Amino acid sequence: MNMLNALHLFVPENDLALASGLARYTPVPVGWHMHLSGEALPMWYADRGHRVMSFGRDARWLDGVSESFDTGVDVASRKEIASGCLSPSPWGWSAYTRQMYADAGCPQWMLPSDEAVGRMRMLSHRRSSVCINEALSGMLGFPLPAIPVETDDLERLSALVEGVGGYLKQPWSSSGRGVIDASRLSGDVLRRQAGGIIRRQGSVMWEEPLAKIMDFAALFRSDGAGVGFEGWSMFETSPTGEYAGNVLASQEYMRGSLERYIPGDVLDEVVVSLCRVLADYVCPVYKGYMGVDMMVYDRGGVPALAPCVELNLRATMGVVALGFSRRYLAPGCRGVMRVVASGDVPPQSYVMDGGRMAGGVLHLSPPQRFAFVAEVRR
């Protein structure tokens, strides 16, 4: 059993690094600013004694958080990283994140091989949702939506979209930014945009449109031998599908919200089935957090469940929200975690109750170009 403390690294640009396949990937400026602004986020789900890798330490912010919340998590020193006493645990694995650990001084023997990184890259491809849905279709006792289609054939894609619309998705992308509403495109624009995705990433995914009622996710964790369920995540998206924020609340509240639409025994069946499918699919090559995005949708006037919209083979903002809610949110409180631009950052002012946040605004990482903010109320 690996008893080393984890060395966490926040890499929100990792999905685009996966698309490039490059170890020396250069993020777009907004992605790098998001990285720098959120470096401290793993503190909220890390265990005591774990460390966070950061390019810039804000001692004042860190001292204030440590005094209020007693996280037991600190920024790793160069000496600690080079000593081999910390186990690399990035937001997501890629050749890029492996290089970042190597550049920071992490011993090579602690890092995954080229083969392992390549396998994790392919598991992070959106075709994983096809494989998972195919496996679930033989296990679950209710009908699933049409399984996503992967294609590099523009003629076939046009036939799928005609009269239906649906969504085009880049094989590697995150936070809804690689999703295109095909119903809004003319035939020529569709071909041009889809052709660009195929040239850059080899194929494009298409999904049928569903009458969405709500988005949510199930969070899991692999230890390399098996996969366990961590909890539920409820999040909001913009009209174009981009990430807008996560709910901060107890698991009891989230479960109750889901059971307004989907019976509890169905939710349990899906979790058990996914633990089995994911264990077969990702173990032993991948260890760490992962999220399966789901959807409640209207099927003929009745709420129905889409149990795997996509697999995120990495930590997610839902993991941050889950860790914060379980460890640092006062009982009976709820809130939202969101990302805001520097000019819109609300001032930090929060109330504590028994070592937990009971109201107000907390900066979850030192604000820079962006700020990750928790807003809590009774």
Side-chain angles (χ1 to χ4, degrees):
M1 180 179 294
N2 185 359
M3 299 301 292
L4 296 178
N5 286 327
L7 176 60
H8 296 277
L9 174 63
F10 179 60
V11 196
E13 70 273 27
N14 193 60
D15 290 311
L16 295 179
L18 284 167
S20 77
L22 300 174
R24 294 294 183 185
Y25 170 71
T26 301
V28 296
V30 67
W32 185 242
H33 286 302
M34 193 73 72
H35 177 128
L36 295 175
S37 300
E39 282 186 334
L41 286 179
M43 293 182 65
W44 301 108
Y45 61 83
D47 294 331
R48 296 187 69 84
H50 287 192
R51 294 290 182 264
V52 172
M53 203 163 84
S54 174
F55 293 93
R57 176 187 175 120
D58 188 323
R60 182 177 178 183
W61 177 89
L62 186 61
D63 289 346
V65 165
S66 298
E67 180 179 351
S68 295
F69 295 94
D70 188 27
T71 64
V73 181
D74 203 347
V75 174
S77 67
R78 289 276 182 178
K79 184 177 180 180
E80 285 179 309
I81 295 172
S83 70
C85 67
L86 297 171
S87 178
S89 182
W91 188 258
W93 275 114
S94 62
Y96 170 69
T97 54
R98 182 181 61 181
Q99 189 64 52
M100 294 183 79
Y101 277 110
D103 290 346
C106 188
Q108 286 290 336
W109 62 268
M110 301 192 75
L111 300 175
S113 65
D114 288 344
E115 179 187 4
V117 168
R119 290 177 65 188
M120 286 186 279
R121 179 175 185 266
M122 297 315 299
L123 289 172
S124 300
H125 191 289
R126 273 201 168 104
R127 72 167 62 95
S128 289
S129 64
V130 176
C131 301
I132 293 169
N133 276 295
E134 287 175 344
L136 290 176
S137 67
M139 301 172 72
L140 299 176
F142 58 88
L144 274 61
I147 294 175
V149 175
E150 180 185 7
T151 184
D152 60 1
D153 184 336
L154 291 177
E155 293 299 325
R156 184 186 183 203
L157 181 64
S158 296
L160 289 168
V161 171
E162 187 175 2
V164 178
Y167 295 90
L168 307 185
K169 294 186 175 182
Q170 296 178 16
W172 288 284
S173 65
S174 65
S175 302
R177 291 183 176 85
V179 179
I180 300 170
D181 184 351
S183 67
R184 298 175 180 271
L185 305 180
S186 67
D188 289 342
V189 174
L190 171 72
R191 288 171 176 272
R192 185 165 61 249
Q193 294 201 13
I197 295 171
I198 292 168
R199 284 192 300 275
R200 292 189 301 271
Q201 299 195 16
S203 64
V204 66
M205 308 295 298
W206 175 82
E207 295 178 10
E208 69 168 358
L210 299 175
K212 181 172 70 174
I213 296 175
M214 71 176 295
D215 291 304
F216 67 105
L219 305 175
F220 299 88
R221 193 174 187 180
S222 165
D223 63 5
V227 170
F229 176 63
E230 292 289 312
W232 298 105
S233 165
M234 292 169 55
F235 59 93
E236 300 174 353
T237 57
S238 71
T240 56
E242 295 184 3
Y243 170 82
N246 271 88
V247 173
L248 299 172
S250 68
Q251 285 294 291
E252 291 74 20
Y253 171 84
M254 293 194 187
R255 173 82 179 212
S257 298
L258 296 176
E259 288 184 358
R260 291 167 51 201
Y261 303 103
I262 306 297
D265 59 340
V266 173
L267 295 174
D268 292 337
E269 181 186 9
V270 168
V271 165
V272 170
S273 298
L274 277 169
C275 283
R276 294 172 181 167
V277 171
L278 291 172
D280 290 340
Y281 198 62
V282 309
C283 294
V285 68
Y286 177 75
K287 296 180 182 179
Y289 288 103
M290 67 194 92
V292 176
D293 288 349
M294 302 183 179
M295 183 191 299
V296 178
Y297 67 100
D298 184 299
R299 186 176 63 215
V302 178
L305 177 65
C308 179
V309 175
E310 68 182 56
L311 168 69
N312 293 303
L313 196 74
R314 54 174 171 77
T316 66
M317 295 304 290
V319 171
V320 180
L322 176 65
F324 183 86
S325 297
R326 278 188 168 154
R327 301 178 187 190
Y328 306 112
L329 185 66
C333 292
R334 294 199 300 274
V336 63
M337 179 182 74
R338 58 193 180 95
V339 186
V340 296
S342 57
D344 298 319
V345 180
Q348 179 169 272
S349 177
Y350 55 89
V351 177
M352 301 294 289
D353 182 358
R356 291 171 174 257
M357 186 176 174
V361 174
L362 170 67
H363 300 156
L364 295 169
S365 190
Q368 295 191 39
R369 184 70 64 87
F370 298 96
F372 294 82
V373 176
E375 300 180 18
V376 172
R377 62 188 183 279
R378 284 284 187 187

